Amino acid sequence: MWMLSVRTTATPFLISLNLIVSTRNITVEIAKSTELQLHENGSDWSISTSSVKVKERNDTKDGITVSYTTASTVTKANLTFTNRQTLYSRPDGLKISYASDIAMKEMSVMVTPANAKTALIIENTEPIGESGTWNIAFDKYLDTDDAAIWPVKLVSFSLKPGEAGNSSGKILITEIKATYRASSSVNEISIENHSSDEVVTDEWYTLTGIRIQREYLSPGIYIRRRGNHTDKIIIR
């Protein structure tokens, strides 16, 4: 019989496998990320505006920078960043950070649970200044214990400039992250021998939440979703 022990760490998105092989024991160390950056490829995010004209946009390792001017009437002005990313592995929430040369008035996020026909808009209507971080806890707005809501899709987030009309500004989006608990949300792990000829309807994901077809699985550790049940699987 094989006996498997699992140890979880908080090292962001590094998978460290320490295999101590004897006739009975395998020890596996799984590094669990606490944050997942969602704008590593800034060009994946499209920008739409209302009463705002984008003058220049730059995507760098530091984030997404947008220079803009507002129309004469700024009451409805906003910048909306759209990507429609699916958030796998049940994150606890989102973290959005920005720095601007002019204060932002409002921020909002649009998400769509898997079991919803319409999107949910989460708003932060408090004045948020020229720079800041908005931490959004999903359990304040969603029944996160309901497996049917997962995976949640991040549709977009919007910022509303607080300056008067006919103004120029620049904003840098430094963080768009999904946040997770330091410990793994998957409590079971098992070992399987993989056969590419086997017919299954399960959903398979890497430990970083990227969906993958079963026929492309190489030996390693994956997350399998079967109905409302999720577990970690070692493929050998």
Side-chain angles (χ1 to χ4, degrees):
M1 175 181 291
W2 293 94
M3 184 172 68
L4 181 66
S5 62
V6 180
R7 183 165 68 253
T8 302
T9 67
T11 306
F13 285 104
L14 297 177
I15 303 171
S16 175
L17 301 180
N18 298 325
L19 300 181
I20 305 171
V21 181
S22 67
T23 57
R24 290 183 176 273
N25 297 289
I26 299 177
T27 300
V28 180
E29 180 180 349
I30 301 174
K32 175 65 177 178
S33 173
T34 55
E35 295 182 339
L36 169 60
Q37 185 67 273
L38 301 178
H39 71 67
E40 290 181 330
N41 186 358
S43 60
D44 288 344
W45 291 82
S46 63
I47 300 177
S48 58
T49 63
S50 174
S51 299
V52 173
K53 180 180 180 180
V54 174
K55 294 172 27 180
E56 185 179 4
R57 169 182 174 166
N58 291 300
D59 301 316
T60 69
K61 61 181 180 61
D62 297 321
I64 305 170
T65 303
V66 178
S67 299
Y68 63 90
T69 57
T70 61
S72 57
T73 302
V74 77
T75 54
K76 295 183 179 181
N78 69 68
L79 292 156
T80 299
F81 297 78
T82 302
N83 184 276
R84 294 182 173 86
Q85 292 203 34
T86 300
L87 307 177
Y88 296 109
S89 302
R90 302 192 182 192
D92 298 309
L94 295 168
K95 178 181 180 181
I96 301 175
S97 299
Y98 77 96
S100 175
D101 55 1
I102 299 176
M104 292 291 110
K105 185 177 180 181
E106 296 177 6
M107 293 180 68
S108 63
V109 166
M110 182 182 294
V111 297
T112 304
N115 62 347
K117 295 182 179 180
T118 58
L120 170 68
I121 298 177
I122 302 172
E123 295 183 324
N124 179 359
T125 57
E126 298 179 1
I128 50 179
E130 295 180 4
S131 64
T133 297
W134 184 21
N135 291 293
I136 304 163
F138 282 153
D139 59 7
K140 291 184 178 180
Y141 309 96
L142 298 166
D143 181 5
T144 54
D145 292 329
D146 181 3
I149 75 166
W150 302 104
V152 170
K153 181 176 290 185
L154 169 59
V155 179
S156 63
F157 70 94
S158 298
L159 301 103
K160 184 175 181 178
E163 68 267 25
N166 295 319
S167 299
S168 297
K170 178 183 290 186
I171 186 168
L172 168 64
I173 308 298
T174 56
E175 290 182 310
I176 313 167
K177 293 180 176 179
T179 57
Y180 298 81
R181 293 184 180 91
S183 60
S184 175
S185 61
V186 180
N187 298 317
E188 298 181 15
I189 188 163
S190 59
I191 300 176
E192 288 192 353
N193 289 315
H194 170 54
S195 170
S196 60
D197 296 329
E198 187 176 351
V199 178
V200 292
T201 57
D202 300 332
E203 295 178 4
W204 292 85
Y205 304 92
T206 66
L207 292 179
T208 56
I210 299 173
R211 188 168 180 177
I212 186 170
Q213 297 298 318
R214 183 182 172 91
E215 58 265 27
Y216 299 122
L217 297 182
S218 57
I221 300 177
Y222 298 89
I223 296 171
R224 180 182 66 186
R225 183 180 183 188
R226 175 176 289 172
N228 293 332
H229 182 69
T230 305
D231 52 13
K232 284 192 179 84
I233 303 293
I234 294 180
I235 299 294
R236 298 189 303 180

